[in-house]
Amino acid sequence: MKVFLAVLLASLALVHGAIPRSRCAMQLRAGGLSANYNESIAHAIHSMTVQGLQLFNPRATEKNTIPTVNHNLHDKSGQKVLMYAPNDQLPSDYFDFTMNMIDKILAMIGKSDDGLGAHWSSTERIVHKFHMWDLWLRLQKEVREMKTKPSGSICKCVLDVESNGIFQAVQWIAAHYESGTPITLLDRPIPKLTDSETWAFWKNDLLHYYTPEALHDAAVYLHCATKDF
Ligand SMILES: *[C@@H]1O[C@H](CO)[C@@H](O)[C@H](O)[C@H]1NC(C)=O
């Protein structure tokens, strides 16, 4: 009997190691995630930094497991996606966050580690960076106000990025940086941002992931990914 139990427990432990995909899909739906959670979460985290993570947990460091687009486009290893959000220290020559951020963005243009490739104009870069900070601040509020926090098993499933499609969607973004300015994952042409008409397009696209569903998806992921620092 004892041997039988030991074998049974050992085989259960084996099964438990890798959570079956279909069970996770059900868990995530039950946890209120949308059908497009891979894209809403990948969008929220693709350019995440330690400083961004500190909005969710001030103890955040580079010891995190958030997949991000590799800002070093000429990385010798050819790695397009990093398995962590890097430290992104701002310069401190100016007094306030905004001007220091603009300094950082413009000082990187044309350098090999500028993160966005050849296709982004200065204005588009500034918009992209501040849009991400705006979304992260909105998500900080979303996480704080989340009525029921995701369970341990939902967290396990949402953090299993190599199986649940999130890693693949971050890879999609990294690949599209090489040919354009992917501000959504809708895979449609995006005009160069040059005037009020093209800004109207950009504005609308940048608001695509501020819906209640997209905010909830990303809030669940970020809560799970940062709660144990
Ligand atoms: C996200 O998941 C949907 C549904 O499984 C899939 O159709 C889509 O291609 C995925 N998106 C990316 C960018 O991987």
Side-chain angles (χ1 to χ4, degrees):
M1 187 62 186
K2 265 191 191 147
V3 174
F4 170 75
L5 265 181
V7 170
L8 181 71
L9 285 176
S11 54
L12 275 179
L14 268 181
V15 171
H16 201 72
I19 321 154
R21 252 175 229 208
S22 56
R23 185 138 59 87
C24 264
M26 268 166 46
Q27 286 268 8
L28 294 178
R29 292 296 287 163
L33 270 77
S34 77
N36 293 320
Y37 73 82
N38 56 336
E39 298 187 357
S40 47
I41 294 173
H43 168 262
I45 63 174
H46 76 279
S47 63
M48 187 50 81
T49 61
V50 170
Q51 285 68 21
L53 289 178
Q54 285 169 347
L55 296 173
F56 302 91
N57 185 334
R59 289 187 300 276
T61 65
E62 278 195 338
K63 278 173 73 179
N64 64 72
T65 56
I66 286 103
T68 59
V69 175
N70 188 354
H71 283 209
N72 185 350
L73 298 174
H74 299 278
D75 187 327
K76 284 189 199 73
S77 68
Q79 208 180 350
K80 303 254 186 269
V81 175
L82 301 177
M83 289 316 284
Y84 67 100
N87 193 17
D88 184 36
Q89 199 74 53
L90 279 189
S92 56
D93 301 294
Y94 290 105
F95 177 69
D96 185 48
F97 172 85
T98 309
M99 197 58 198
N100 283 317
M101 183 64 90
I102 288 178
D103 177 20
K104 171 127 195 177
I105 297 165
L106 297 184
M108 283 199 294
I109 291 186
K111 301 244 179 94
S112 62
D113 59 349
D114 71 353
L116 295 177
H119 299 279
W120 297 73
S121 72
S122 313
T123 312
E124 291 166 351
R125 284 159 194 269
I126 291 169
V127 165
H128 176 258
K129 196 75 176 181
F130 282 94
H131 157 58
M132 293 317 304
W133 267 95
D134 187 67
L135 180 68
W136 297 339
L137 284 163
R138 178 64 186 83
L139 286 167
Q140 180 190 47
K141 174 173 146 72
E142 192 75 12
V143 172
R144 281 187 182 153
E145 293 174 359
M146 202 157 37
K147 284 200 195 73
T148 38
K149 298 283 191 258
S151 66
S153 51
I154 288 174
C155 280
K156 234 178 154 173
C157 288
V158 82
L159 294 178
D160 188 7
V161 294
E162 308 212 25
S163 307
N164 64 22
I166 295 174
F167 178 74
Q168 211 180 340
V170 175
Q171 270 182 321
W172 185 99
I173 299 172
H176 284 70
Y177 274 176
E178 292 172 8
S179 56
T181 54
I183 46 176
T184 64
L185 288 86
L186 298 175
D187 209 10
R188 60 177 182 192
I190 294 154
K192 291 309 288 174
L193 176 50
T194 53
D195 55 17
S196 76
E197 220 174 292
T198 47
W199 170 244
F201 182 100
W202 273 65
K203 178 173 177 179
N204 185 51
D205 255 25
L206 292 170
L207 287 169
H208 185 70
Y209 296 106
Y210 287 75
T211 61
E213 299 76 32
L215 292 173
H216 182 69
D217 292 346
V220 167
Y221 176 91
L222 284 166
H223 168 77
C224 292
T226 59
K227 70 184 169 56
D228 295 325
F229 288 142

